[in-house]
Amino acid sequence: EPPEGMNLETLLKAELEGFEGAEVIVSRVTIPPHTELPKHWHPGEEFGYVLEGSCYLWQDGKEDTHLQTGEVLKVPLNQVHTAFTKDEAVTILVFRVHEEGKPERVPVE
């Protein structure tokens, strides 16, 4: 269940040509201030571009990364992660490439 005020808009979901069984999903994700997403992982790689605002990327076993407008991020295949905001909201353009038919995200307890 997404946190209150979070907006996840799928802009494109399409087969990735030349890579049988792979798809690409492009989304616009807006996270309000003082919000942490549930920890999860993806059955593929995730790339993001911060359109506006700032957030922190937490990845299991790594230091938090502070991301601001204009910066990019990469989350490796099957990496447990989350994003959280402090005093300002963030809007991120997210690109995911993964195996077709798999769930877009898998929650972690």
Side-chain angles (χ1 to χ4, degrees):
E1 189 73 27
E4 185 175 332
M6 181 185 159
N7 185 29
L8 172 61
E9 178 185 4
T10 299
L11 304 173
L12 173 72
K13 188 172 184 174
E15 179 182 336
L16 191 60
E17 294 183 31
F19 294 90
E20 188 173 328
E23 66 183 354
V24 63
I25 300 168
V26 180
S27 306
R28 182 173 31 237
V29 179
T30 301
I31 307 169
H34 306 287
T35 302
E36 182 173 349
L37 302 182
K39 290 182 174 125
H40 62 281
W41 57 272
H42 304 280
E45 289 191 286
E46 180 173 52
F47 308 89
Y49 175 75
V50 181
L51 295 170
E52 184 177 8
S54 69
C55 70
Y56 291 82
L57 173 65
W58 175 90
Q59 298 183 76
D60 190 28
K62 300 182 181 185
E63 287 191 32
D64 292 352
T65 304
H66 183 220
L67 298 161
Q68 299 178 39
T69 302
E71 294 187 316
V72 294
L73 64 102
K74 177 186 180 222
V75 178
L77 171 72
N78 299 331
Q79 173 70 48
V80 175
H81 66 285
T82 189
F84 62 93
T85 55
K86 290 194 176 179
D87 292 335
E88 70 177 325
V90 69
T91 301
I92 306 170
L93 187 61
V94 176
F95 299 80
R96 285 191 310 275
V97 178
H98 65 88
E99 191 177 337
E100 217 170 357
K102 297 280 185 174
E104 289 187 30
R105 67 192 55 77
V106 178
V108 174
E109 295 300 318

